[in-house]
Amino acid sequence: MDFISLLSFVLLLLLRVTSAQLTATITSPDGKYLVDVTVSNPTAHTIAILNWNNLFDPIRRLSPAIIVRDARGFRVPMPTTYVMRAGMRESDFCRLAPGANFSRGYDLRARVRGGPDVLRGNITVGLPDGFKGIASADRWMAPVAAIATRVKGNSPTFGDYEAAGLQDITLRSRRLHLHLGNAVLGDNRTGFQDDAGDGIHVDPRDCLPSDERINMHNALEGASTYANALALAADDPSNRLFANYFHPSGRETVRKVAAALQTAFKEQGPRVTAYCTDDANLCDTNPHVLGHSATESRLGDTQVMLCPDALKLPEAPSPCSSHPRREIGATASRVILHLLLTLNTVVGGTLTGNVYGSGACQLLKNSHIFPTLRNPDSYAQLAIAQYTYGFGGPPYSGPRCPPKLGIVPRIQ
């Protein structure tokens, strides 16, 4: 390689690993309830932003794009839907050319989910610190390794997200301060008190074909086992698998999330309905969609939904039954667990990260833009690894088979 070629390679590498900078303004046309967000690209090159589950997402009914805090600085729970994909495609990226803008509007009156609480007085509206994407995207295309394969009638194969080379795209913005003259009520229901003790269940009017119902119940049972495994990983300070995905300082948060999941599966938590019917029509419109979730709002109950292809995924194999060296296969239980982690009514916090895959989640641990504690798949990856290598506890009581040198292979 000559000097010019080497220099070009180094410059290209630097472009791929450095962050790009977007700016945003938040305004209110009426000074009370309406919020407009405009994101701009002030750089000299095109930036491609992964549009999953954020303000750029075209298929979301609601999005966790804005962050609302009350007068005490506490984050206000917002009703959201979350969509889980198996892989990337070109249309999953919103491209902003140099100097281009992207705008979206919100009405706080339709988006506050306060349960018995009331939002009033002084509030602030903010945005996340950044997104995932490609800084220099003029000629960028999704690599084949990041694209899921989905043959009609067969189970999907998850794309390798780490192979996409996504970067942290930082966002600079100032919070908007508002004063609500009139109170904004939460939902008509007083929280989940009427449904206390119901936990997670399958709608008796849904999943009517016997194979769908069996697959859904098996998926929930497996996800329950994963939740127990996550709790065991968080409770053990010497757990090496934990250190692959989380910093030690996050152990208490992981423990609380795991406990909340266990409570839900013990039918002691908030009501969550599992569906096989895709009323939102997302499974057919995007071949990479595996399922979606929605927190309780005026749209209806808190729910998770698995697409037909996700329901066809196999059950999790018994721990250590076939020691995985290169890859741990995808399961419907992994999809269910991931979706449950996106429900703030279940886990008590807003987890909206979109970093998938064991390699990518382990790299996320060192990110300053995207807190790994807010990334659902980081929890799912740890739970699956803990279970697969025999550390997950009951109902498994066989031998353990830790990965060589503690290195976890790719988890589908």
Side-chain angles (χ1 to χ4, degrees):
M1 181 181 294
D2 58 33
F3 176 75
I4 298 298
S5 300
L6 178 61
L7 180 60
S8 299
F9 174 78
V10 172
L11 289 175
L12 178 61
L13 183 63
L14 287 174
L15 279 174
R16 296 299 297 271
V17 299
T18 54
S19 296
Q21 183 73 65
L22 299 174
T23 59
T25 57
I26 312 173
T27 58
S28 176
D30 65 351
K32 293 185 294 184
Y33 309 115
L34 302 181
V35 174
D36 289 338
V37 177
T38 299
V39 179
S40 305
N41 175 12
T43 71
H45 50 263
T46 298
I47 298 175
I49 304 104
L50 185 65
N51 64 21
W52 292 355
N53 303 302
N54 56 38
L55 64 89
F56 298 98
D57 198 333
I59 68 172
R60 300 293 304 281
R61 292 176 292 173
L62 297 171
S63 88
I66 57 176
I67 301 171
V68 179
R69 297 186 184 277
D70 61 21
R72 298 172 295 171
F74 295 127
R75 187 164 178 168
V76 178
M78 306 289 283
T80 66
T81 57
Y82 182 100
V83 180
M84 184 179 180
R85 281 91 160 178
M88 301 173 189
R89 59 180 184 172
E90 294 298 312
S91 59
D92 288 336
F93 290 84
C94 176
R95 283 176 167 77
L96 284 183
N101 299 322
F102 178 93
S103 299
R104 197 162 191 177
Y106 301 90
D107 187 338
L108 294 180
R109 289 168 295 190
R111 293 177 179 273
V112 172
R113 188 198 67 79
D117 300 325
V118 175
L119 184 64
R120 57 161 59 92
N122 296 321
I123 66 169
T124 60
V125 180
L127 295 171
D129 293 328
F131 308 97
K132 283 291 182 181
I134 301 296
S136 184
D138 302 84
R139 296 182 179 84
W140 183 85
M141 294 182 63
V144 174
I147 301 175
T149 58
R150 181 177 185 261
V151 180
K152 193 66 176 177
N154 294 331
S155 299
T157 298
F158 287 27
D160 182 354
Y161 292 78
E162 191 177 2
L166 299 186
Q167 303 160 259
D168 290 350
I169 307 297
T170 59
L171 177 68
R172 228 178 10 196
S173 64
R174 290 186 177 181
R175 293 180 182 177
L176 174 68
H177 296 268
L178 293 176
H179 181 79
L180 303 182
N182 296 315
V184 178
L185 298 177
D187 292 307
N188 295 328
R189 294 172 57 183
T190 57
F192 290 94
Q193 296 305 311
D194 293 339
D195 297 318
D198 283 346
I200 302 170
H201 71 286
V202 180
D203 190 307
R205 298 162 297 181
D206 200 41
C207 302
L208 294 179
S210 59
D211 56 339
E212 279 191 357
R213 195 164 191 81
I214 292 171
N215 290 346
M216 178 62 82
H217 280 277
N218 287 341
L220 290 170
E221 182 66 24
S224 173
T225 302
Y226 285 156
N228 292 336
L230 181 65
L232 288 172
D235 285 338
D236 181 6
S238 63
N239 189 293
R240 293 186 178 182
L241 294 173
F242 184 95
N244 284 343
Y245 301 98
F246 296 97
H247 190 273
S249 61
R251 188 174 299 278
E252 184 58 31
T253 298
V254 178
R255 184 182 290 117
K256 289 180 179 179
V257 169
L261 287 171
Q262 288 179 305
T263 298
F265 281 113
K266 292 176 181 176
E267 298 184 351
Q268 298 172 353
R271 185 182 184 91
V272 179
T273 306
Y275 290 97
C276 302
T277 303
D278 181 25
D279 290 335
N281 196 32
L282 298 181
C283 300
D284 290 332
T285 56
N286 187 329
H288 291 165
V289 170
L290 293 171
H292 48 89
S293 65
T295 54
E296 180 210 18
S297 68
R298 291 177 178 83
L299 294 175
D301 59 346
T302 296
Q303 57 186 265
V304 293
M305 185 272 156
L306 288 190
C307 295
D309 280 357
L311 280 170
K312 294 175 184 176
L313 288 168
E315 295 182 56
S318 299
C320 302
S321 58
S322 57
H323 195 113
R325 293 293 183 184
R326 295 184 177 179
E327 184 172 276
I328 299 173
T331 66
S333 297
R334 181 265 178 93
V335 179
I336 280 281
L337 180 70
H338 186 113
L339 293 174
L340 288 172
L341 284 161
T342 69
L343 297 173
N344 56 33
T345 52
V346 173
V347 299
T350 304
L351 308 182
T352 57
N354 293 288
V355 176
Y356 297 170
S358 54
C361 287
Q362 290 177 67
L363 290 174
L364 185 67
K365 187 179 69 170
N366 300 317
S367 173
H368 300 291
I369 303 300
F370 297 92
T372 187
L373 290 171
R374 290 195 177 278
N375 190 59
D377 210 44
S378 296
Y379 295 85
Q381 294 286 333
L382 173 58
I384 295 169
Q386 180 83 0
Y387 168 83
T388 300
Y389 293 109
F391 296 88
Y396 179 73
S397 58
R400 297 177 176 182
C401 50
K404 189 175 182 180
L405 301 178
I407 299 175
V408 179
R410 181 169 171 243
I411 297 176
Q412 277 274 342

